[in-house]
Amino acid sequence: MDVSELPTPALLVDAAAFAHNVATMSQRWPGRSLRPHVKAFKSTAMAHELVAAGHRSFCAATPREIMGMLDAGVGDDLLLANESVDAERLGAIARAAREQARVTVAVDSDATVQAAARAGVGSVLVDVCVGMPRCGCDPADAGRLAAVARRVGLEVRGVMGYEGHLMMAEDATKAEQVEQAMALLLAAHDEVGGDIVSGGGTGTWATNTWVTELQAGSYVLMDCDYAKADLPFRQALFVLATVVSVHEGDGGWIVIDAGLKALSVEHGDPQPIGGRTWFVSDEHLTWSPLTGGAWPRVGDKVRVVPSHVDPTVNLHEALQVVRHDEVLDTWPVDLRGWWHRAA
Amino acid sequence: MDVSELPTPALLVDAAAFAHNVATMSQRWPGRSLRPHVKAFKSTAMAHELVAAGHRSFCAATPREIMGMLDAGVGDDLLLANESVDAERLGAIARAAREQARVTVAVDSDATVQAAARAGVGSVLVDVCVGMPRCGCDPADAGRLAAVARRVGLEVRGVMGYEGHLMMAEDATKAEQVEQAMALLLAAHDEVGGDIVSGGGTGTWATNTWVTELQAGSYVLMDCDYAKADLPFRQALFVLATVVSVHEGDGGWIVIDAGLKALSVEHGDPQPIGGRTWFVSDEHLTWSPLTGGAWPRVGDKVRVVPSHVDPTVNLHEALQVVRHDEVLDTWPVDLRGWWHRAA
């Protein structure tokens, strides 16, 4: 099928850019040294491709994502890189994991340790705050938490810490800032023990030389926010839209049928190729051509570069894998939502 | 069921506020003078409640929403208040409409007129630009387009024009600005003919005295953006979240399990009741209590006020209707996405 036959808005994955990104990351972080983050693409079909590239450890942000990976039989070492006290969901993970794959969950408090133990989840990582105010315990509390976890029968596999505040840091000081954040994590690891020091992301793939495994997801598809960060990964994700209204001439504009329900904007405006975005409404994006650019006609198709990969993919039901203008495959975005339904 | 038993994040509708909003709007814009916009809540169950309040005309932003309303048998006069040149989707609407209800589509160009005619859609409104750069023809072109539409066999029912740029305008000049925008629409209507002058929204429900029918959707649920606009509608929409991490004390923070995939942020940060938002990540919101406020514990539930109703509802599978802490009903958000599947 030709791309132009797709109903719009549609989410496209450029097969060549995707293959380049996977190969580039796998060369530096091969096999289990990479723990791809499925929250970025929420598709077990795409995760299958990462298994083919040698990765069998994955991380996820929600119990739903973990359950979907278990159902699909993708990966053999899954990490819920997030805190949960939901007894029902953690219990479901523990039961499903026993038959399928190893599952580990992050803990950063007595309450999350107790929840993991009660649910029957066998192993945990102690999540350590390394500078970004989100989950993760005080580094000084990591050793005590590990001891509590071991006392209630959990295997403590090590630590994790996400230097999310440094993903877009400037180059000059970035390596030094990452080193300082990771020094906190390594000090906590000394107290906690275990084999794993998990952290990092697409933005620190080159500067984080301290972790035993990198948690990265955005590199697979990329967005125009990460494009500013001088990374070797290529834009593989586009939203295909149809021109529905054209107001040609000086001061004129174009409207396409992809808006806030197809493209997230918290990292800035998504940009149509060859154009500049004016604003984004629920189901529309208003833009104009770059200087000297051509005006499209109603019915023409336009590709838009998303500004934030994870929440944009989350808005779509499927990824259309394309090579130039040919649709090669359709991958369901099957890990969305928070309610699990058995496959 | 008690609200605290809901898995989180969950989307709550306060039944009393919802009933107040529906009654308040219906008093000023009764029956067919209101054309509720289903894009705001994307739920045929909620639309059923508006039928019970006397409204049987609805508008929608996507062919999928129209098809879902036809499938559910809600409303007898449906308007696609948006442009489409998708032959397959318009054709499906035309076929389904014949048996169920009257369907009208917006047109603003020769291409959209031809698409409507080819698809067998019987009637159209001429969409007129009244100041916001989005869809809608030049007011001076409206009469010509109406003539083209009639020549190809379409019934032209009138005009529509959305003064979206004035929804949040300041009170002092708002009425005057709305009058100027509607003067453009009424002049176009003189050229176009037909019974309908459709326009307006929640933000101009009081100032737009010019249309024959008001297109409003946000008033039903509201958000903290519209709350600034001095309207008589109450906040009826909340996202229920669970506290997953607490860093108590001076400079401390709280993390809940509702982020960008549960709450949209393009109209500013959503706000937890009793707190102030620091930032929103994919699956987390980091915040701290208002001065003197209590620190919650891990596992506590928190209600968050969304900042933009439409894209927030679009992130959820269901609306949980609550009275205080009791869950009364669950309404599926069944009009999401762009691909139609028969019920």
Side-chain angles (χ1 to χ4, degrees), chain B residues 16 27 35 65 68 137 145 172 204 210 238 261 265 270 293 322 336:
Chain B
Q27 199 163 15
R35 193 182 276 281
E65 290 168 358
C137 68
L145 269 180
T204 59
W210 316 92
F238 302 89
K261 291 171 181 171
V265 300
V322 302
R336 305 194 301 164

Side-chain angles (χ1 to χ4, degrees), chain B:
Chain B
M1 185 167 66
D2 192 85
V3 169
S4 64
E5 295 170 54
L6 288 170
T8 57
L11 196 60
L12 309 183
V13 176
D14 181 299
F18 170 71
H20 164 85
N21 294 345
V22 171
T24 303
M25 184 63 93
S26 289
Q27 199 163 15
R28 167 64 185 84
W29 298 90
R32 291 200 191 277
S33 70
L34 186 73
R35 193 182 276 281
H37 212 317
V38 302
K39 80 179 178 79
F41 47 84
K42 282 189 179 278
S43 163
T44 56
M46 185 170 278
H48 264 299
E49 301 290 316
L50 296 172
V51 171
H55 309 295
R56 281 158 53 199
S57 311
F58 289 89
C59 60
T62 67
R64 168 81 188 81
E65 290 168 358
I66 296 283
M67 288 298 288
M69 292 288 281
L70 289 169
D71 270 359
V74 187
D76 59 15
D77 180 353
L78 307 178
L79 168 64
L80 178 60
N82 194 359
E83 276 62 21
S84 176
V85 288
D86 187 318
E88 198 175 320
R89 287 169 174 165
L90 289 176
I93 285 175
R95 284 189 301 278
R98 239 166 256 145
E99 299 159 22
Q100 306 259 348
R102 179 167 203 171
V103 176
T104 302
V105 304
V107 294
D108 71 350
S109 63
D110 290 273
T112 47
V113 167
Q114 298 300 338
R118 272 197 307 272
V121 172
S123 53
V124 297
L125 289 186
V126 176
D127 187 1
V128 179
C129 179
V130 295
M132 180 171 68
R134 209 165 68 186
C135 294
C137 68
D138 184 321
D141 198 37
R144 185 195 66 80
L145 269 180
V148 172
R150 290 192 174 101
R151 211 150 54 226
V152 295
L154 293 163
E155 181 188 354
V156 179
R157 297 181 70 192
V159 294
M160 66 163 267
Y162 179 55
E163 70 280 21
H165 56 307
L166 303 177
M167 287 299 130
M168 302 300 291
E170 295 297 323
D171 272 339
T173 61
K174 185 165 182 162
E176 192 185 332
Q177 290 181 72
V178 171
E179 183 174 356
Q180 288 167 3
M182 289 301 106
L184 295 172
L185 188 60
L186 294 173
H189 183 234
D190 285 346
E191 302 297 318
V192 167
D195 297 328
I196 295 177
V197 178
S198 192
T202 295
T204 59
W205 86 296
T207 40
N208 193 327
T209 56
W210 316 92
V211 294
T212 62
E213 56 174 48
L214 190 81
Q215 295 182 8
S218 302
Y219 79 97
V220 174
L221 296 172
M222 293 294 285
D223 55 42
C224 54
D225 192 42
Y226 266 121
K228 299 172 198 153
D230 190 28
L231 299 166
F233 309 112
R234 297 182 192 157
Q235 189 60 40
L237 188 72
F238 302 89
V239 168
L240 184 76
T242 301
V243 173
V244 294
S245 196
V246 177
H247 304 252
E248 195 167 340
D250 271 2
W253 66 89
I254 298 151
V255 186
I256 53 178
D257 67 348
L260 296 168
K261 291 171 181 171
L263 290 156
S264 76
V265 300
E266 63 281 340
H267 283 186
D269 283 338
Q271 298 293 341
I273 291 177
R276 187 181 59 79
T277 296
W278 290 19
F279 63 95
V280 192
S281 314
D282 276 5
E283 297 283 359
H284 301 112
L285 186 152
T286 296
W287 60 285
S288 56
L290 298 178
T291 309
W295 287 80
R297 300 176 57 162
V298 172
D300 285 356
K301 300 292 164 80
V302 175
R303 292 188 193 199
V304 183
V305 182
S307 53
H308 192 186
V309 53
D310 321 57
T312 296
V313 172
N314 185 54
L315 295 168
H316 294 263
E317 294 175 44
L319 294 151
Q320 308 291 342
V321 186
V322 302
R323 184 171 47 205
H324 306 299
D325 288 333
E326 186 191 359
V327 181
L328 304 175
D329 207 349
T330 300
W331 293 344
V333 185
D334 54 344
L335 300 177
R336 305 194 301 164
W338 305 276
W339 296 2
H340 182 66
R341 290 174 200 84

Side-chain angles (χ1 to χ4, degrees), chain A:
Chain A
M1 185 167 68
D2 192 87
V3 169
S4 64
E5 296 169 54
L6 288 170
T8 57
L11 196 60
L12 308 184
V13 176
D14 180 300
F18 170 70
H20 165 85
N21 294 345
V22 171
T24 302
M25 184 62 92
S26 289
Q27 199 163 15
R28 167 65 186 85
W29 298 91
R32 290 200 192 277
S33 70
L34 186 74
R35 195 182 275 282
H37 212 318
V38 302
K39 82 180 176 79
F41 47 84
K42 282 190 179 275
S43 162
T44 55
M46 185 169 278
H48 263 300
E49 300 291 315
L50 297 172
V51 171
H55 309 295
R56 282 157 53 198
S57 311
F58 289 89
C59 60
T62 66
R64 168 80 189 82
E65 290 169 357
I66 296 283
M67 288 299 288
M69 292 288 281
L70 289 169
D71 271 358
V74 187
D76 58 16
D77 182 354
L78 306 179
L79 168 64
L80 178 60
N82 195 359
E83 276 63 20
S84 177
V85 288
D86 186 319
E88 197 175 323
R89 287 169 174 164
L90 289 175
I93 286 176
R95 285 189 299 277
R98 240 165 256 148
E99 298 159 22
Q100 305 258 347
R102 179 166 204 174
V103 175
T104 303
V105 305
V107 294
D108 72 349
S109 63
D110 291 274
T112 48
V113 167
Q114 298 300 339
R118 272 197 305 272
V121 171
S123 53
V124 297
L125 290 186
V126 176
D127 188 0
V128 179
C129 179
V130 296
M132 180 171 69
R134 208 166 67 187
C135 295
C137 67
D138 186 320
D141 198 37
R144 185 194 67 79
L145 269 181
V148 173
R150 291 193 174 99
R151 210 150 52 226
V152 294
L154 293 164
E155 181 188 354
V156 180
R157 297 182 69 193
V159 293
M160 66 164 266
Y162 179 54
E163 71 280 22
H165 56 307
L166 303 177
M167 288 298 129
M168 303 300 293
E170 294 298 323
D171 273 338
T173 61
K174 184 165 183 162
E176 191 185 332
Q177 290 182 72
V178 172
E179 183 175 354
Q180 287 167 4
M182 289 301 107
L184 295 172
L185 187 59
L186 294 173
H189 183 235
D190 285 346
E191 302 296 318
V192 168
D195 296 329
I196 294 178
V197 178
S198 192
T202 294
T204 58
W205 85 297
T207 40
N208 193 327
T209 55
W210 316 94
V211 294
T212 63
E213 56 175 48
L214 189 83
Q215 294 182 9
S218 302
Y219 80 97
V220 173
L221 296 172
M222 293 293 285
D223 55 42
C224 55
D225 192 42
Y226 266 121
K228 298 173 199 151
D230 191 27
L231 299 167
F233 308 112
R234 296 182 193 156
Q235 189 60 40
L237 189 72
F238 302 90
V239 168
L240 184 76
T242 301
V243 173
V244 294
S245 196
V246 176
H247 304 252
E248 196 167 340
D250 273 1
W253 67 89
I254 298 151
V255 185
I256 54 178
D257 67 348
L260 295 168
K261 290 171 182 171
L263 291 155
S264 76
V265 300
E266 63 282 341
H267 282 184
D269 283 337
Q271 298 294 340
I273 292 177
R276 186 180 60 77
T277 296
W278 290 19
F279 64 95
V280 192
S281 314
D282 275 4
E283 297 283 358
H284 300 112
L285 186 152
T286 296
W287 59 286
S288 56
L290 298 177
T291 309
W295 287 80
R297 300 177 56 165
V298 172
D300 285 357
K301 299 290 163 81
V302 175
R303 292 189 192 197
V304 183
V305 182
S307 54
H308 192 186
V309 53
D310 320 56
T312 295
V313 172
N314 185 54
L315 295 168
H316 294 263
E317 294 176 43
L319 294 150
Q320 308 291 342
V321 186
V322 303
R323 185 170 47 206
H324 305 300
D325 287 334
E326 186 190 358
V327 180
L328 304 175
D329 208 349
T330 300
W331 293 344
V333 184
D334 54 344
L335 300 176
R336 305 194 301 163
W338 305 276
W339 296 2
H340 182 66
R341 290 173 200 84

